[in-house]
């Protein structure tokens, strides 16, 4: 589902449901689209059959929140965490700067994600207005509720967190993916995350100031090894169902988190 006001995208959502749940799911999506402050003047629904499409199952990424306050501290920690995944400090800083000024050429938010070379920060996605939209992911029956309960035990009750976790879980296993960086375009929602197949889903309470409507996503890959066809086939076509929750760890201080990374993995990329 994608809803827009005067041509500007305001909300979107995806899911995979059994065929007998399609009508109810459409109903949910429509109320989501209409629930936005500015009622949309266009809602686009697209429904694909997954008959004959192979479905990959994944366990949700482990979740941890770094105890930090303020955008400056959040962004600095996000850059540092990214360097432990293999992203250079320069590329991480570049992604943050592009997202914070509006990643589309028009200066608006993109509809999808950027693809960024983890070494140089160069953008690799063909369409910088649209970016890459990841679709075809969802939860096996009952698993979303299970994950929701585990997140709630850590005080994470917002639907955004588990939707982002599902998207990040699919994204983390994209061919060649090194890490993802994301924060919301919702002006009231300041939290964001860095996700990687190795580190899991690492949350930062604030990656932007309250009231800021700029947000986005960046997928970091290595330009030399990047296979666009395989990446797009996975993100757009392959279906992923999350069939079990990951760990939801208690909040940790950034120092403690980084010390544990150093012990486990050695030095960051500069
Ligand atoms: N595929 C790729 N990129 C997308 C997709 C998608 N399916 N959906 C959204 N984007 C891009 C697009 O540029 C949006 O402007 C941007 O991401 C942000 O989307 O743990 O809510 O839906 O509590 O606003 C982070 C949760 C929430 C932190 C992220 O993103 C937490 C969020 P939003
Ligand atoms: Mg949004």
């Amino acid at each position: 589902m994608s809803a827009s006001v005067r041509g500007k995208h305001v909300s979107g959502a995806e899911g995979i449901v059994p065929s007998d749940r399609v009508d109810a799911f459409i109903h949910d999506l429509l109320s989501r689209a209409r629930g936005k402050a500015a009622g949309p003047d266009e809602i686009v629904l697209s429904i694909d059959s997954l008959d004959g499409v192979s479905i990959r199952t994944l366990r949700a990424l482990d979740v941890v929140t770094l105890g930090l306050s303020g955008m400056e501290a959040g962004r600095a920690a996000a850059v540092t965490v990214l360097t432990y995944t293999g992203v250079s400090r320069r590329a991480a800083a570049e992604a943050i700067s592009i997202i914070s000024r509006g990643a589309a050429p028009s200066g608006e938010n993109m509809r999808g994600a950027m693809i960024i070379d983890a070494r140089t920060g160069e953008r690799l996605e063909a369409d910088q207005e649209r970016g890459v939209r990841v679709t075809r992911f969802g939860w096996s029956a009952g698993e979303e509720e299970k994950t929701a309960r585990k997140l709630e035990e850590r005080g994470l009750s917002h639907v955004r967190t588990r939707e982002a976790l599902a998207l990040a879980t699919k994204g983390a296993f994209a061919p060649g993916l090194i890490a993802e960086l994301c924060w919301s375009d919702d002006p009231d929602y300041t939290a964001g995350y860095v996700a990687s197949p190795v580190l899991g889903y690492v949350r930062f309470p604030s990656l932007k100031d309250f009231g800021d409507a700029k947000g986005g996503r960046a997928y970091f890959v290595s330009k030399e090894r990047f296979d666009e066809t395989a990446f797009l086939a996975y993100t757009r076509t392959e279906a992923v169902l999350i069939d079990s929750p990951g760990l939801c760890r208690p909040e940790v201080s950034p120092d403690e988190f980084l010390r544990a990374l150093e012990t486990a993995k050695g030095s960051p990329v500069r």
Side-chain angles (χ1 to χ4, degrees):
M1 177 278 291
S2 167
S4 52
V5 178
R6 288 181 295 280
K8 195 179 160 205
H9 172 85
V10 289
S11 82
E14 344 260 334
I16 298 179
V17 294
S19 47
D20 63 359
R21 275 265 307 138
V22 169
D23 292 49
F25 190 60
I26 291 171
H27 188 87
D28 292 350
L29 290 173
L30 288 178
S31 14
R32 279 274 299 266
R34 292 198 184 113
K36 284 276 158 164
D41 50 32
E42 184 180 51
I43 302 170
V44 178
L45 277 173
S46 152
I47 304 160
D48 302 310
S49 162
L50 293 182
D51 252 4
V53 175
S54 70
I55 296 186
R56 176 164 175 185
T57 52
L58 292 173
R59 174 179 188 254
L61 296 176
D62 293 345
V63 176
V64 66
T65 301
L66 303 195
L68 277 164
S69 67
M71 172 191 87
E72 298 280 339
R75 288 186 179 179
V79 169
T80 302
V81 170
L82 280 166
T83 63
Y84 281 87
T85 68
V87 175
S88 72
R89 198 160 269 281
R90 171 176 158 205
E94 178 70 3
I96 288 176
S97 140
I98 298 172
I99 294 174
S100 59
R101 59 174 190 259
S106 59
E108 297 285 346
N109 295 315
M110 293 168 79
R111 298 172 87 95
M114 296 187 278
I115 300 175
I116 291 193
D117 178 30
R119 193 169 58 82
T120 62
E122 182 191 345
R123 286 174 76 166
L124 305 174
E125 76 279 11
D127 180 345
Q128 295 194 350
E129 200 66 49
R130 230 190 107 73
V132 175
R133 266 197 85 86
V134 181
T135 180
R136 296 190 167 181
F137 56 91
W139 308 81
S140 302
E143 294 306 322
E144 181 165 14
E145 295 70 19
K146 254 193 231 167
T147 300
R149 281 196 297 275
K150 292 185 83 172
L151 290 169
E152 259 156 40
E153 284 167 19
R154 302 291 181 211
L156 304 173
S157 51
H158 206 292
V159 63
R160 277 183 187 285
T161 305
R162 64 175 192 269
E163 286 185 352
L165 175 61
L167 176 47
T169 298
K170 178 169 180 183
F173 295 92
L177 187 93
I178 295 172
E180 178 194 354
L181 166 72
C182 163
W183 70 85
S184 178
D185 52 29
D186 185 325
D188 298 337
Y189 202 85
T190 63
Y193 65 86
V194 167
S196 96
V198 179
L199 296 190
Y201 184 93
V202 184
R203 305 181 64 249
F204 305 84
S206 170
L207 287 182
K208 68 172 182 185
D209 287 328
F210 196 82
D212 182 351
K214 292 287 194 279
R217 283 186 154 86
Y219 289 120
F220 295 95
V221 300
S222 156
K223 182 182 177 183
E224 286 73 33
R225 275 169 280 152
F226 183 56
D227 178 345
E228 187 183 26
T229 311
F231 192 89
L232 295 181
Y234 173 81
T235 50
R236 291 181 181 158
T237 315
E238 199 171 322
V240 164
L241 270 183
I242 301 175
D243 69 348
S244 55
L247 300 174
C248 294
R249 291 150 67 193
E251 186 173 297
V252 294
S253 77
D255 287 352
E256 197 183 324
F257 184 76
L258 294 174
R259 263 201 310 276
L261 287 186
E262 253 154 56
T263 317
K265 305 183 19 95
S267 354
V269 172
R270 303 275 161 206

